[in-house]
Amino acid sequence: MIYETFREAIQNIWSNKFRTFLTMLGIIIGVTAVIVIVGLGNGMTQSIESSFSDMGTNILSVQVMGYGSRSVKVSDFYALVEAHPDIFGDVSPTPSISGTVKVGTTSYSYTSVKGVSESYLDISGYKISTGRGINYVDLTDNKKVCVVGAYIDRVAYGGNSVGQTVKIGSEKYTIVGVLEAKITDLSNQEGSSDDAIFVPYTTALRVSGSSTSSSYAVTVPDENHLSEGKTILENGLKALLNSDSGYQVISMSEMLSMMTSMINMVVTILTAIAAISLLVGGIGIMNIMMVSVTERTREIGIRKALGAKERTILGLFVTEAAVTSALGGVLGIGLGYLLSAAANKILPLIMSDMDMTVAPSLTSVAVAFGISVGIGVLFGYLPAKRAARLNPIEALRYD
């Protein structure tokens, strides 16, 4: 009986292919939209988590703006960190250097230049591919040396930058090392993490004529102590500045959690909007099933006159509605995966500095398909109930 009901439902759907396709369109669009949006959210989350894992989630980022005439010297900040060796690990001032980067007559406007300590490359997850990194002697002697990113090495020097010079503002620096590339797509890394230059922070402060750095990176080896480390730094800076203002301590793990929550919230809202298409598709199924009941009134009368029970008629029309919505769900899943694959080809071209993919999850696919079938059954039940309750005599008289 189940097989016959299902086979007849398929025959009725196939006999009205174009009408059935139009009926399924809302379901197809809704399922496709849900799969692509959830996949995009998953891809964004994975990309952000990957970026933070490269940077390190056990890092505290410190911004010191100062308060009035009071500021925090680098030596004072080091003393604050070194007073708690059980909490903190490496520390590095990270002052930025303003000025255009020039190699010969070519300027590199998007290249970031930052002063760092000898431990910064390890803090940020960089590795040296050629030459060496910044060392302690570079810091104590205020040497005009630098380490360049893979993009500068490849584009400006053809992969042979060690030992050559680069001009930053009005000063020339000797390149002593090259970093390994962090971004795998080499087509365009301008402005990326590989388009960077690092110099000794003491040199950066001397060039800028300052004894204070506005930013620091501090590691906390045990992530369980992140909250405690953040409190220690905040209290120490408050004591140095004698104010609650003028500084900010941010935990990378907290920032990751906040950004992930924001992405999830946006994806949830967009998914809810996309799910409206499923509701519209359900209304379309109800409408077409009402038409089908009207068209097949005489057939229903003959079935009931031959002894068909109400549950048999009900099952026939509910099955037809469920199969229609299920087919729409299958087509929507296929189209969703197709669009996701196309997006994975296009996104690297328009977002070369960010490694992001559209990654549909099996959970979202299963939920979207289940909802599509459920909507078919739900919205097909009312027309099916109407068909099952038709009076056989009145149905047979219907023309």
Side-chain angles (χ1 to χ4, degrees):
M1 187 66 187
I2 295 175
Y3 170 76
E4 287 297 324
T5 301
F6 182 77
R7 185 179 62 82
E8 191 164 347
I10 293 293
Q11 287 178 343
N12 288 329
I13 290 171
W14 188 253
S15 63
N16 297 283
K17 294 184 286 295
F18 186 67
R19 186 175 75 178
T20 302
F21 174 75
L22 293 178
T23 303
M24 295 187 301
L25 203 55
I27 299 292
I28 293 172
I29 294 172
V31 171
T32 300
V34 169
I35 289 174
V36 172
I37 290 172
V38 172
L40 185 60
N42 290 338
M44 292 175 67
T45 301
Q46 291 171 9
S47 177
I48 290 174
E49 288 178 349
S50 176
S51 298
F52 274 83
S53 65
D54 290 341
M55 191 182 305
T57 54
N58 65 330
I59 298 175
L60 292 172
S61 178
V62 183
Q63 299 291 323
V64 182
M65 294 74 74
Y67 182 75
S69 60
R70 293 186 289 273
S71 60
V72 177
K73 293 182 179 180
V74 172
S75 57
D76 292 335
F77 190 86
Y78 264 98
L80 173 60
V81 172
E82 291 169 356
H84 301 86
D86 55 324
I87 302 295
F88 302 115
D90 295 323
V91 58
S92 174
T94 55
S96 297
I97 296 181
S98 59
T100 304
V101 175
K102 295 187 74 173
V103 179
T105 58
T106 305
S107 298
Y108 295 86
S109 315
Y110 296 98
T111 303
S112 65
V113 184
K114 187 180 293 184
V116 298
S117 72
E118 72 278 16
S119 59
Y120 179 80
L121 299 183
D122 290 332
I123 291 174
S124 300
Y126 282 104
K127 294 182 180 179
I128 298 292
S129 65
T130 308
R132 65 174 179 84
I134 303 296
N135 60 36
Y136 183 73
V137 176
D138 296 330
L139 297 172
T140 56
D141 294 348
N142 296 336
K143 288 188 177 181
K144 292 182 181 179
V145 296
C146 66
V147 176
V148 300
Y151 174 79
I152 290 293
D153 176 61
R154 177 172 54 84
V155 174
Y157 298 96
N160 188 32
S161 61
V162 175
Q164 301 197 54
T165 60
V166 58
K167 191 174 183 181
I168 305 172
S170 60
E171 304 285 340
K172 286 187 177 181
Y173 296 80
T174 301
I175 299 172
V176 296
V178 177
L179 301 172
E180 286 185 1
K182 279 196 170 187
I183 298 176
T184 55
D185 183 8
L186 301 178
S187 58
N188 181 16
Q189 296 177 314
E190 187 177 41
S192 71
S193 57
D194 290 332
D195 186 11
I197 297 177
F198 301 104
V199 305
Y201 79 84
T202 51
T203 306
L205 294 178
R206 183 181 60 80
V207 169
S208 61
S210 174
S211 62
T212 62
S213 174
S214 61
S215 58
Y216 297 84
V218 184
T219 62
V220 180
D222 186 351
E223 291 193 24
N224 293 325
H225 292 157
L226 273 172
S227 179
E228 183 181 354
K230 181 179 179 181
T231 302
I232 290 171
L233 291 178
E234 288 176 337
N235 291 338
L237 292 171
K238 178 180 178 181
L240 289 170
L241 294 172
N242 195 27
S243 170
D244 291 328
S245 306
Y247 61 87
Q248 186 177 30
V249 182
I250 302 171
S251 167
M252 289 298 179
S253 61
E254 290 179 357
M255 189 182 297
L256 172 60
S257 177
M258 182 177 64
M259 294 183 71
T260 302
S261 298
M262 290 175 62
I263 290 174
N264 290 338
M265 182 179 66
V266 171
V267 168
T268 300
I269 293 172
L270 292 177
T271 302
I273 294 172
I276 294 175
S277 298
L278 293 174
L279 180 63
V280 173
I283 294 172
I285 288 175
M286 177 184 284
N287 180 55
I288 208 66
M289 292 305 297
M290 295 289 281
V291 172
S292 180
V293 169
T294 302
E295 290 178 344
R296 296 163 62 186
T297 299
R298 189 173 181 83
E299 175 195 330
I300 294 168
I302 293 172
R303 287 175 180 271
K304 299 195 77 171
L306 292 174
K309 297 181 180 179
E310 282 194 10
R311 67 172 180 270
T312 304
I313 304 298
L314 181 67
L316 176 64
F317 283 91
V318 168
T319 301
E320 188 172 328
V323 170
T324 300
S325 60
L327 285 175
V330 170
L331 291 175
I333 291 170
L335 183 59
Y337 271 97
L338 187 64
L339 290 178
S340 298
N344 288 334
K345 296 291 184 182
I346 296 171
L347 284 176
L349 301 178
I350 61 178
M351 302 179 67
S352 58
D353 59 336
M354 189 174 183
D355 185 17
M356 189 177 74
T357 59
V358 179
S361 67
L362 292 178
T363 302
S364 67
V365 171
V367 170
F369 180 75
I371 290 176
S372 68
V373 175
I375 283 177
V377 173
L378 179 65
F379 284 85
Y381 180 79
L382 185 62
K385 194 70 175 177
R386 178 187 172 190
R389 289 180 174 176
L390 282 176
N391 185 297
I393 297 175
E394 295 296 328
L396 287 170
R397 287 177 179 174
Y398 184 82
D399 187 3

